[in-house]
Amino acid sequence: MTQYAVITDLNRCVSCLNCCVACKEANDVPIGNFWIKILRVGPNPKTEDSVYPDVEMYYLPISCQHCKNPACVDVCPTGASHRTENGTVQIDHDKCIGCQFCVMACPYGVRYLNEEEGVVEKCTRCYQKTNEGELPSCVTSCGGRARWFGDMDLGYEDFRGSLGADGQPLRFTDTDYVKPFEESDVYSLPDSGNGPSDRFILRNRTWR
Protein backbone atom coordinates (compact mmCIF):
# COMPACT_ATOMS: atom_id res chain seq x y z
CA MET A 1 0.00 0.00 0.00
CA THR A 2 0.97 3.62 -0.44
CA GLN A 3 -0.24 6.61 1.55
CA TYR A 4 1.26 9.87 0.35
CA ALA A 5 1.16 12.46 3.11
CA VAL A 6 2.61 15.80 4.16
CA ILE A 7 4.21 16.27 7.56
CA THR A 8 4.40 19.88 8.77
CA ASP A 9 6.73 20.92 11.57
CA LEU A 10 4.66 23.66 13.16
CA ASN A 11 7.59 24.84 15.27
CA ARG A 12 9.26 25.89 12.01
CA CYS A 13 6.26 27.38 10.14
CA VAL A 14 6.44 31.19 10.13
CA SER A 15 3.39 31.83 7.90
CA CYS A 16 5.52 33.18 5.05
CA LEU A 17 2.75 31.97 2.66
CA ASN A 18 5.30 30.63 0.15
CA CYS A 19 3.36 27.36 0.06
CA CYS A 20 0.12 29.17 -0.79
CA VAL A 21 1.71 31.20 -3.58
CA ALA A 22 3.58 28.22 -5.07
CA CYS A 23 0.42 26.12 -4.96
CA LYS A 24 -1.65 28.71 -6.81
CA GLU A 25 1.04 29.11 -9.46
CA ALA A 26 1.62 25.39 -10.00
CA ASN A 27 -2.08 24.50 -10.17
CA ASP A 28 -3.57 27.66 -11.69
CA VAL A 29 -5.87 28.14 -8.70
CA PRO A 30 -8.42 30.91 -9.41
CA ILE A 31 -8.17 34.26 -7.67
CA GLY A 32 -10.14 34.20 -4.43
CA ASN A 33 -9.73 30.45 -3.96
CA PHE A 34 -7.01 28.52 -2.14
CA TRP A 35 -5.83 24.92 -1.93
CA ILE A 36 -3.85 25.79 1.22
CA LYS A 37 -4.91 28.15 3.99
CA ILE A 38 -2.74 29.18 6.92
CA LEU A 39 -4.57 29.53 10.23
CA ARG A 40 -3.13 31.38 13.20
CA VAL A 41 -3.81 29.46 16.40
CA GLY A 42 -3.54 31.87 19.30
CA PRO A 43 -2.21 33.75 21.05
CA ASN A 44 -3.50 31.58 23.88
CA PRO A 45 -2.49 31.50 27.57
CA LYS A 46 0.24 28.96 28.22
CA THR A 47 -1.57 27.85 31.37
CA GLU A 48 -5.05 28.45 32.72
CA ASP A 49 -3.89 31.37 34.85
CA SER A 50 -1.43 32.90 32.36
CA VAL A 51 -1.73 36.49 31.18
CA TYR A 52 0.13 38.38 28.46
CA PRO A 53 3.00 38.09 27.66
CA ASP A 54 2.91 34.50 28.94
CA VAL A 55 1.11 33.29 25.80
CA GLU A 56 1.81 30.95 22.89
CA MET A 57 0.72 30.59 19.26
CA TYR A 58 1.51 28.70 16.08
CA TYR A 59 0.54 28.66 12.41
CA LEU A 60 -1.44 25.74 11.00
CA PRO A 61 -1.51 25.08 7.23
CA ILE A 62 -4.79 23.45 6.19
CA SER A 63 -5.42 21.68 2.88
CA CYS A 64 -7.07 18.47 1.69
CA GLN A 65 -6.12 15.68 4.10
CA HIS A 66 -6.44 12.93 1.47
CA CYS A 67 -8.29 10.82 3.98
CA LYS A 68 -8.18 7.03 4.17
CA ASN A 69 -12.00 6.92 4.39
CA PRO A 70 -12.97 10.18 2.67
CA ALA A 71 -16.52 11.39 3.25
CA CYS A 72 -16.33 13.35 0.00
CA VAL A 73 -15.96 10.10 -1.95
CA ASP A 74 -18.86 8.45 -0.14
CA VAL A 75 -21.34 11.18 -1.09
CA CYS A 76 -20.22 11.75 -4.68
CA PRO A 77 -23.10 10.60 -6.94
CA THR A 78 -21.00 10.23 -10.11
CA GLY A 79 -17.72 8.76 -8.85
CA ALA A 80 -15.87 11.95 -9.74
CA SER A 81 -14.28 12.07 -6.30
CA HIS A 82 -12.22 8.93 -5.84
CA ARG A 83 -9.27 7.58 -3.87
CA THR A 84 -6.27 6.45 -5.90
CA GLU A 85 -3.68 3.72 -5.40
CA ASN A 86 -1.19 6.18 -3.87
CA GLY A 87 -3.67 7.21 -1.19
CA THR A 88 -4.56 10.59 -2.65
CA VAL A 89 -8.12 11.73 -3.26
CA GLN A 90 -8.66 13.13 -6.76
CA ILE A 91 -11.54 14.65 -8.71
CA ASP A 92 -12.34 13.58 -12.28
CA HIS A 93 -13.51 16.83 -13.85
CA ASP A 94 -15.18 14.93 -16.69
CA LYS A 95 -17.48 13.26 -14.17
CA CYS A 96 -18.00 16.16 -11.76
CA ILE A 97 -21.43 17.81 -12.08
CA GLY A 98 -20.78 20.55 -9.54
CA CYS A 99 -23.44 19.35 -7.09
CA GLN A 100 -21.15 20.25 -4.15
CA PHE A 101 -22.22 17.30 -2.00
CA CYS A 102 -18.51 16.71 -1.40
CA VAL A 103 -18.01 20.34 -0.37
CA MET A 104 -20.66 19.92 2.30
CA ALA A 105 -19.32 16.53 3.41
CA CYS A 106 -15.70 17.61 3.86
CA PRO A 107 -15.05 18.19 7.58
CA TYR A 108 -12.15 20.57 6.85
CA GLY A 109 -13.76 23.02 4.43
CA VAL A 110 -11.03 22.64 1.81
CA ARG A 111 -13.17 22.14 -1.32
CA TYR A 112 -14.82 24.83 -3.43
CA LEU A 113 -16.81 25.15 -6.64
CA ASN A 114 -14.93 26.61 -9.58
CA GLU A 115 -17.90 28.55 -10.89
CA GLU A 116 -16.31 29.22 -14.28
CA GLU A 117 -15.61 25.55 -14.91
CA GLY A 118 -18.62 24.21 -12.99
CA VAL A 119 -16.52 21.64 -11.14
CA VAL A 120 -15.24 21.21 -7.59
CA GLU A 121 -11.52 21.66 -6.95
CA LYS A 122 -9.05 21.13 -4.10
CA CYS A 123 -5.46 20.10 -3.39
CA THR A 124 -4.34 17.23 -5.61
CA ARG A 125 -0.93 16.73 -3.92
CA CYS A 126 0.43 18.17 -7.18
CA TYR A 127 -0.32 14.84 -8.93
CA GLN A 128 1.30 16.19 -12.10
CA LYS A 129 4.56 16.33 -10.14
CA THR A 130 4.29 13.49 -7.64
CA ASN A 131 3.33 10.98 -10.34
CA GLU A 132 6.73 11.73 -11.88
CA GLY A 133 8.60 11.30 -8.61
CA GLU A 134 8.79 15.02 -7.82
CA LEU A 135 7.65 16.78 -4.66
CA PRO A 136 4.54 18.97 -4.29
CA SER A 137 5.13 22.68 -4.83
CA CYS A 138 4.09 23.52 -1.27
CA VAL A 139 6.96 21.35 -0.03
CA THR A 140 9.74 22.52 -2.35
CA SER A 141 8.84 26.18 -1.79
CA CYS A 142 8.75 26.04 2.03
CA GLY A 143 11.19 28.70 3.20
CA GLY A 144 11.02 27.52 6.81
CA ARG A 145 11.87 23.92 5.87
CA ALA A 146 8.68 22.96 7.69
CA ARG A 147 6.92 20.79 5.10
CA TRP A 148 7.90 17.24 4.15
CA PHE A 149 6.39 14.78 1.66
CA GLY A 150 6.55 11.01 1.53
CA ASP A 151 4.83 7.66 1.88
CA MET A 152 3.50 7.29 5.40
CA ASP A 153 3.46 3.51 4.99
CA LEU A 154 7.26 3.58 4.54
CA GLY A 155 7.85 5.65 7.67
CA TYR A 156 9.57 8.95 8.36
CA GLU A 157 12.71 7.86 6.49
CA ASP A 158 10.86 8.25 3.18
CA PHE A 159 9.95 11.91 3.68
CA ARG A 160 11.79 14.63 1.76
CA GLY A 161 11.66 18.41 1.80
CA SER A 162 13.01 21.45 -0.03
CA LEU A 163 16.45 21.45 -1.63
CA GLY A 164 19.61 21.57 0.45
CA ALA A 165 22.92 23.21 -0.37
CA ASP A 166 23.88 20.26 -2.61
CA GLY A 167 20.76 20.69 -4.73
CA GLN A 168 19.19 17.49 -3.41
CA PRO A 169 15.98 17.28 -1.36
CA LEU A 170 16.57 17.33 2.38
CA ARG A 171 15.61 14.25 4.36
CA PHE A 172 13.18 14.34 7.24
CA THR A 173 15.79 12.43 9.23
CA ASP A 174 18.25 15.36 8.92
CA THR A 175 18.52 16.62 12.51
CA ASP A 176 19.90 19.97 11.31
CA TYR A 177 16.37 20.81 10.21
CA VAL A 178 14.09 18.45 12.12
CA LYS A 179 14.65 18.76 15.85
CA PRO A 180 13.93 15.74 18.05
CA PHE A 181 10.29 15.02 18.81
CA GLU A 182 8.23 12.39 20.57
CA GLU A 183 5.30 10.54 19.07
CA SER A 184 3.17 12.48 21.55
CA ASP A 185 4.20 15.62 19.62
CA VAL A 186 2.60 14.30 16.41
CA TYR A 187 -0.99 15.33 15.70
CA SER A 188 -3.62 15.12 13.00
CA LEU A 189 -6.74 17.15 12.32
CA PRO A 190 -9.92 15.96 14.09
CA ASP A 191 -10.83 12.48 12.91
CA SER A 192 -14.54 11.68 12.60
CA GLY A 193 -13.82 8.28 11.08
CA ASN A 194 -12.47 9.70 7.83
CA GLY A 195 -8.80 9.08 8.70
CA PRO A 196 -6.89 12.25 7.72
CA SER A 197 -3.44 11.36 6.40
CA ASP A 198 -1.41 14.52 7.09
CA ARG A 199 0.55 14.91 10.31
CA PHE A 200 1.64 17.95 12.30
CA ILE A 201 4.54 18.14 14.73
CA LEU A 202 4.17 20.57 17.64
CA ARG A 203 6.64 20.63 20.53
CA ASN A 204 6.29 22.46 23.84
CA ARG A 205 2.95 24.01 22.96
CA THR A 206 -0.65 22.99 23.41
CA TRP A 207 -2.34 21.52 20.33
CA ARG A 208 -5.69 23.23 19.89
Side-chain angles (χ1 to χ4, degrees):
M1 296 293 292
T2 299
Q3 180 60 64
Y4 283 158
V6 170
I7 297 175
T8 306
D9 188 338
L10 301 182
N11 292 94
R12 294 190 67 96
C13 180
V14 296
S15 189
C16 66
L17 303 183
N18 275 3
C19 58
C20 299
V21 174
C23 172
K24 289 179 73 70
E25 180 180 21
N27 299 289
D28 196 25
V29 180
I31 293 175
N33 294 304
F34 302 89
W35 288 9
I36 303 176
K37 297 179 181 179
I38 310 297
L39 305 182
R40 186 183 74 180
V41 182
N44 289 303
K46 290 184 177 180
T47 65
E48 184 176 344
D49 298 323
S50 295
V51 295
Y52 181 84
D54 193 20
V55 297
E56 62 183 14
M57 62 173 287
Y58 60 91
Y59 297 104
L60 180 64
I62 300 291
S63 61
C64 176
Q65 298 297 292
H66 296 274
C67 303
K68 293 182 179 181
N69 302 295
C72 56
V73 171
D74 291 341
V75 301
C76 181
T78 66
S81 288
H82 60 283
R83 192 167 185 268
T84 67
E85 292 182 355
N86 60 25
T88 64
V89 176
Q90 305 293 341
I91 302 171
D92 186 336
H93 284 188
D94 291 334
K95 294 182 179 180
C96 181
I97 58 176
C99 66
Q100 300 185 70
F101 287 170
C102 61
V103 175
M104 293 180 281
C106 175
Y108 310 116
V110 295
R111 289 174 169 241
Y112 66 89
L113 177 67
N114 183 326
E115 296 184 359
E116 183 175 337
E117 301 292 335
V119 296
V120 170
E121 295 179 334
K122 65 168 193 67
C123 162
T124 64
R125 288 264 197 260
C126 283
Y127 69 88
Q128 74 277 19
K129 294 178 177 289
T130 53
N131 282 353
E132 299 297 325
E134 300 180 40
L135 300 176
S137 292
C138 65
V139 172
T140 57
S141 67
C142 182
R145 306 282 173 82
R147 293 177 71 81
W148 307 83
F149 174 79
D151 183 353
M152 190 64 76
D153 286 348
L154 295 180
Y156 293 143
E157 294 79 7
D158 187 62
F159 281 74
R160 296 172 293 158
S162 55
L163 300 182
D166 59 358
Q168 297 299 313
L170 297 172
R171 291 285 179 177
F172 187 70
T173 51
D174 187 341
T175 55
D176 287 339
Y177 296 100
V178 181
K179 301 305 179 185
F181 63 91
E182 305 291 336
E183 283 302 315
S184 59
D185 298 323
V186 181
Y187 301 90
S188 64
L189 295 187
D191 186 353
S192 58
N194 47 297
S197 67
D198 284 358
R199 295 294 181 266
F200 304 90
I201 299 172
L202 185 66
R203 311 168 193 80
N204 304 316
R205 298 177 196 173
T206 302
W207 172 262
R208 302 175 190 267

PDB file of all heavy atoms in Angstrom, residues 25 28 31 33 45 51 64 70 86 92 94 96 100 126 130 144 152 156 166 182-183:
ATOM      1  N   GLU A  25       0.329  29.010  -8.187  1.00  0.00           N
ATOM      2  CA  GLU A  25       1.043  29.109  -9.458  1.00  0.00           C
ATOM      3  C   GLU A  25       1.121  27.751 -10.158  1.00  0.00           C
ATOM      4  O   GLU A  25       0.890  27.656 -11.368  1.00  0.00           O
ATOM      5  CB  GLU A  25       2.450  29.650  -9.220  1.00  0.00           C
ATOM      6  CG  GLU A  25       3.262  29.791 -10.499  1.00  0.00           C
ATOM      7  CD  GLU A  25       4.654  30.316 -10.236  1.00  0.00           C
ATOM      8  OE1 GLU A  25       5.142  30.217  -9.098  1.00  0.00           O
ATOM      9  OE2 GLU A  25       5.270  30.832 -11.193  1.00  0.00           O
ATOM     10  N   ASP A  28      -2.689  26.679 -11.065  1.00  0.00           N
ATOM     11  CA  ASP A  28      -3.574  27.662 -11.692  1.00  0.00           C
ATOM     12  C   ASP A  28      -4.869  27.827 -10.897  1.00  0.00           C
ATOM     13  O   ASP A  28      -5.973  27.776 -11.437  1.00  0.00           O
ATOM     14  CB  ASP A  28      -3.892  27.243 -13.133  1.00  0.00           C
ATOM     15  CG  ASP A  28      -4.469  28.393 -13.962  1.00  0.00           C
ATOM     16  OD1 ASP A  28      -4.191  29.561 -13.618  1.00  0.00           O
ATOM     17  OD2 ASP A  28      -5.196  28.115 -14.935  1.00  0.00           O
ATOM     18  N   ILE A  31      -8.234  33.190  -8.653  1.00  0.00           N
ATOM     19  CA  ILE A  31      -8.171  34.262  -7.670  1.00  0.00           C
ATOM     20  C   ILE A  31      -9.359  34.155  -6.718  1.00  0.00           C
ATOM     21  O   ILE A  31     -10.498  33.935  -7.140  1.00  0.00           O
ATOM     22  CB  ILE A  31      -8.183  35.635  -8.372  1.00  0.00           C
ATOM     23  CG1 ILE A  31      -6.895  35.811  -9.176  1.00  0.00           C
ATOM     24  CG2 ILE A  31      -8.331  36.768  -7.360  1.00  0.00           C
ATOM     25  CD1 ILE A  31      -6.870  37.078 -10.010  1.00  0.00           C
ATOM     26  N   ASN A  33      -9.662  31.821  -4.459  1.00  0.00           N
ATOM     27  CA  ASN A  33      -9.727  30.449  -3.956  1.00  0.00           C
ATOM     28  C   ASN A  33      -8.337  29.978  -3.555  1.00  0.00           C
ATOM     29  O   ASN A  33      -7.334  30.490  -4.054  1.00  0.00           O
ATOM     30  CB  ASN A  33     -10.302  29.513  -5.026  1.00  0.00           C
ATOM     31  CG  ASN A  33     -11.750  29.826  -5.339  1.00  0.00           C
ATOM     32  OD1 ASN A  33     -12.588  29.837  -4.452  1.00  0.00           O
ATOM     33  ND2 ASN A  33     -12.039  30.098  -6.599  1.00  0.00           N
ATOM     34  N   PRO A  45      -3.265  31.610  26.322  1.00  0.00           N
ATOM     35  CA  PRO A  45      -2.495  31.496  27.571  1.00  0.00           C
ATOM     36  C   PRO A  45      -1.761  30.162  27.639  1.00  0.00           C
ATOM     37  O   PRO A  45      -2.305  29.132  27.255  1.00  0.00           O
ATOM     38  CB  PRO A  45      -3.576  31.591  28.654  1.00  0.00           C
ATOM     39  CG  PRO A  45      -4.743  32.247  27.992  1.00  0.00           C
ATOM     40  CD  PRO A  45      -4.707  31.821  26.561  1.00  0.00           C
ATOM     41  N   VAL A  51      -1.310  35.230  31.807  1.00  0.00           N
ATOM     42  CA  VAL A  51      -1.726  36.486  31.181  1.00  0.00           C
ATOM     43  C   VAL A  51      -0.579  36.956  30.292  1.00  0.00           C
ATOM     44  O   VAL A  51       0.564  36.509  30.410  1.00  0.00           O
ATOM     45  CB  VAL A  51      -2.059  37.565  32.242  1.00  0.00           C
ATOM     46  CG1 VAL A  51      -3.257  37.149  33.069  1.00  0.00           C
ATOM     47  CG2 VAL A  51      -0.846  37.842  33.137  1.00  0.00           C
ATOM     48  N   CYS A  64      -6.443  19.785   1.747  1.00  0.00           N
ATOM     49  CA  CYS A  64      -7.073  18.469   1.689  1.00  0.00           C
ATOM     50  C   CYS A  64      -6.217  17.471   2.441  1.00  0.00           C
ATOM     51  O   CYS A  64      -4.997  17.412   2.263  1.00  0.00           O
ATOM     52  CB  CYS A  64      -7.261  18.030   0.234  1.00  0.00           C
ATOM     53  SG  CYS A  64      -7.943  16.359   0.076  1.00  0.00           S
ATOM     54  N   PRO A  70     -12.479   8.823   2.947  1.00  0.00           N
ATOM     55  CA  PRO A  70     -12.973  10.177   2.665  1.00  0.00           C
ATOM     56  C   PRO A  70     -14.486  10.270   2.527  1.00  0.00           C
ATOM     57  O   PRO A  70     -15.103   9.556   1.726  1.00  0.00           O
ATOM     58  CB  PRO A  70     -12.274  10.534   1.346  1.00  0.00           C
ATOM     59  CG  PRO A  70     -11.943   9.220   0.709  1.00  0.00           C
ATOM     60  CD  PRO A  70     -11.678   8.276   1.834  1.00  0.00           C
ATOM     61  N   ASN A  86      -2.232   5.594  -4.715  1.00  0.00           N
ATOM     62  CA  ASN A  86      -1.188   6.185  -3.871  1.00  0.00           C
ATOM     63  C   ASN A  86      -1.761   6.886  -2.642  1.00  0.00           C
ATOM     64  O   ASN A  86      -1.048   7.607  -1.951  1.00  0.00           O
ATOM     65  CB  ASN A  86      -0.307   7.146  -4.678  1.00  0.00           C
ATOM     66  CG  ASN A  86      -1.080   8.297  -5.290  1.00  0.00           C
ATOM     67  OD1 ASN A  86      -2.136   8.679  -4.809  1.00  0.00           O
ATOM     68  ND2 ASN A  86      -0.558   8.859  -6.372  1.00  0.00           N
ATOM     69  N   ASP A  92     -12.265  13.705 -10.828  1.00  0.00           N
ATOM     70  CA  ASP A  92     -12.341  13.577 -12.281  1.00  0.00           C
ATOM     71  C   ASP A  92     -13.279  14.664 -12.796  1.00  0.00           C
ATOM     72  O   ASP A  92     -14.493  14.580 -12.623  1.00  0.00           O
ATOM     73  CB  ASP A  92     -12.865  12.183 -12.650  1.00  0.00           C
ATOM     74  CG  ASP A  92     -12.835  11.926 -14.148  1.00  0.00           C
ATOM     75  OD1 ASP A  92     -12.853  12.906 -14.921  1.00  0.00           O
ATOM     76  OD2 ASP A  92     -12.805  10.747 -14.542  1.00  0.00           O
ATOM     77  N   ASP A  94     -14.245  15.375 -15.662  1.00  0.00           N
ATOM     78  CA  ASP A  94     -15.185  14.932 -16.691  1.00  0.00           C
ATOM     79  C   ASP A  94     -16.445  14.332 -16.082  1.00  0.00           C
ATOM     80  O   ASP A  94     -17.501  14.302 -16.729  1.00  0.00           O
ATOM     81  CB  ASP A  94     -14.523  13.902 -17.614  1.00  0.00           C
ATOM     82  CG  ASP A  94     -13.435  14.510 -18.488  1.00  0.00           C
ATOM     83  OD1 ASP A  94     -13.517  15.726 -18.766  1.00  0.00           O
ATOM     84  OD2 ASP A  94     -12.500  13.775 -18.875  1.00  0.00           O
ATOM     85  N   CYS A  96     -17.451  15.251 -12.764  1.00  0.00           N
ATOM     86  CA  CYS A  96     -17.996  16.155 -11.758  1.00  0.00           C
ATOM     87  C   CYS A  96     -19.132  16.986 -12.345  1.00  0.00           C
ATOM     88  O   CYS A  96     -18.996  17.594 -13.414  1.00  0.00           O
ATOM     89  CB  CYS A  96     -16.892  17.069 -11.229  1.00  0.00           C
ATOM     90  SG  CYS A  96     -17.460  18.218  -9.940  1.00  0.00           S
ATOM     91  N   GLN A 100     -21.739  19.776  -5.398  1.00  0.00           N
ATOM     92  CA  GLN A 100     -21.149  20.253  -4.152  1.00  0.00           C
ATOM     93  C   GLN A 100     -21.515  19.413  -2.932  1.00  0.00           C
ATOM     94  O   GLN A 100     -21.349  19.854  -1.794  1.00  0.00           O
ATOM     95  CB  GLN A 100     -21.504  21.716  -3.895  1.00  0.00           C
ATOM     96  CG  GLN A 100     -21.022  22.669  -4.987  1.00  0.00           C
ATOM     97  CD  GLN A 100     -21.268  24.113  -4.657  1.00  0.00           C
ATOM     98  OE1 GLN A 100     -20.627  24.675  -3.772  1.00  0.00           O
ATOM     99  NE2 GLN A 100     -22.218  24.717  -5.361  1.00  0.00           N
ATOM    100  N   CYS A 126      -0.360  17.907  -5.964  1.00  0.00           N
ATOM    101  CA  CYS A 126       0.425  18.167  -7.181  1.00  0.00           C
ATOM    102  C   CYS A 126       0.655  16.864  -7.943  1.00  0.00           C
ATOM    103  O   CYS A 126       1.797  16.480  -8.239  1.00  0.00           O
ATOM    104  CB  CYS A 126       1.751  18.834  -6.852  1.00  0.00           C
ATOM    105  SG  CYS A 126       1.635  20.599  -6.461  1.00  0.00           S
ATOM    106  N   THR A 130       4.013  14.667  -8.460  1.00  0.00           N
ATOM    107  CA  THR A 130       4.292  13.489  -7.638  1.00  0.00           C
ATOM    108  C   THR A 130       4.210  12.197  -8.451  1.00  0.00           C
ATOM    109  O   THR A 130       4.899  11.225  -8.133  1.00  0.00           O
ATOM    110  CB  THR A 130       3.333  13.428  -6.434  1.00  0.00           C
ATOM    111  OG1 THR A 130       1.975  13.520  -6.894  1.00  0.00           O
ATOM    112  CG2 THR A 130       3.603  14.589  -5.492  1.00  0.00           C
ATOM    113  N   GLY A 144      10.698  27.882   5.436  1.00  0.00           N
ATOM    114  CA  GLY A 144      11.018  27.518   6.812  1.00  0.00           C
ATOM    115  C   GLY A 144      11.474  26.088   6.956  1.00  0.00           C
ATOM    116  O   GLY A 144      11.760  25.646   8.069  1.00  0.00           O
ATOM    117  N   MET A 152       3.645   7.563   3.981  1.00  0.00           N
ATOM    118  CA  MET A 152       3.500   7.287   5.404  1.00  0.00           C
ATOM    119  C   MET A 152       3.670   5.806   5.715  1.00  0.00           C
ATOM    120  O   MET A 152       4.148   5.436   6.794  1.00  0.00           O
ATOM    121  CB  MET A 152       2.136   7.784   5.897  1.00  0.00           C
ATOM    122  CG  MET A 152       1.978   7.765   7.400  1.00  0.00           C
ATOM    123  SD  MET A 152       3.108   8.897   8.245  1.00  0.00           S
ATOM    124  CE  MET A 152       2.294  10.472   7.925  1.00  0.00           C
ATOM    125  N   TYR A 156       8.988   7.615   8.458  1.00  0.00           N
ATOM    126  CA  TYR A 156       9.570   8.945   8.363  1.00  0.00           C
ATOM    127  C   TYR A 156      10.791   8.990   7.440  1.00  0.00           C
ATOM    128  O   TYR A 156      11.090  10.029   6.840  1.00  0.00           O
ATOM    129  CB  TYR A 156       9.987   9.431   9.753  1.00  0.00           C
ATOM    130  CG  TYR A 156       8.847   9.677  10.707  1.00  0.00           C
ATOM    131  CD1 TYR A 156       8.967   9.369  12.070  1.00  0.00           C
ATOM    132  CD2 TYR A 156       7.637  10.211  10.272  1.00  0.00           C
ATOM    133  CE1 TYR A 156       7.921   9.595  12.961  1.00  0.00           C
ATOM    134  CE2 TYR A 156       6.589  10.433  11.143  1.00  0.00           C
ATOM    135  CZ  TYR A 156       6.739  10.123  12.489  1.00  0.00           C
ATOM    136  OH  TYR A 156       5.701  10.352  13.360  1.00  0.00           O
ATOM    137  N   ASP A 166      23.350  21.078  -1.524  1.00  0.00           N
ATOM    138  CA  ASP A 166      23.879  20.256  -2.613  1.00  0.00           C
ATOM    139  C   ASP A 166      22.896  20.087  -3.761  1.00  0.00           C
ATOM    140  O   ASP A 166      23.159  19.343  -4.716  1.00  0.00           O
ATOM    141  CB  ASP A 166      24.281  18.883  -2.086  1.00  0.00           C
ATOM    142  CG  ASP A 166      23.098  18.127  -1.448  1.00  0.00           C
ATOM    143  OD1 ASP A 166      21.983  18.695  -1.393  1.00  0.00           O
ATOM    144  OD2 ASP A 166      23.302  16.980  -1.005  1.00  0.00           O
ATOM    145  N   GLU A 182       8.829  13.634  20.098  1.00  0.00           N
ATOM    146  CA  GLU A 182       8.233  12.394  20.570  1.00  0.00           C
ATOM    147  C   GLU A 182       6.970  12.112  19.756  1.00  0.00           C
ATOM    148  O   GLU A 182       6.402  13.007  19.138  1.00  0.00           O
ATOM    149  CB  GLU A 182       7.872  12.499  22.062  1.00  0.00           C
ATOM    150  CG  GLU A 182       9.034  12.898  22.958  1.00  0.00           C
ATOM    151  CD  GLU A 182      10.096  11.816  23.063  1.00  0.00           C
ATOM    152  OE1 GLU A 182       9.735  10.629  22.829  1.00  0.00           O
ATOM    153  OE2 GLU A 182      11.255  12.145  23.359  1.00  0.00           O
ATOM    154  N   GLU A 183       6.543  10.869  19.773  1.00  0.00           N
ATOM    155  CA  GLU A 183       5.298  10.542  19.069  1.00  0.00           C
ATOM    156  C   GLU A 183       4.118  11.298  19.660  1.00  0.00           C
ATOM    157  O   GLU A 183       3.132  11.568  18.977  1.00  0.00           O
ATOM    158  CB  GLU A 183       5.046   9.039  19.116  1.00  0.00           C
ATOM    159  CG  GLU A 183       5.905   8.238  18.153  1.00  0.00           C
ATOM    160  CD  GLU A 183       5.713   8.672  16.709  1.00  0.00           C
ATOM    161  OE1 GLU A 183       4.556   8.859  16.274  1.00  0.00           O
ATOM    162  OE2 GLU A 183       6.726   8.838  16.007  1.00  0.00           O
TER     163      GLU A 183
END
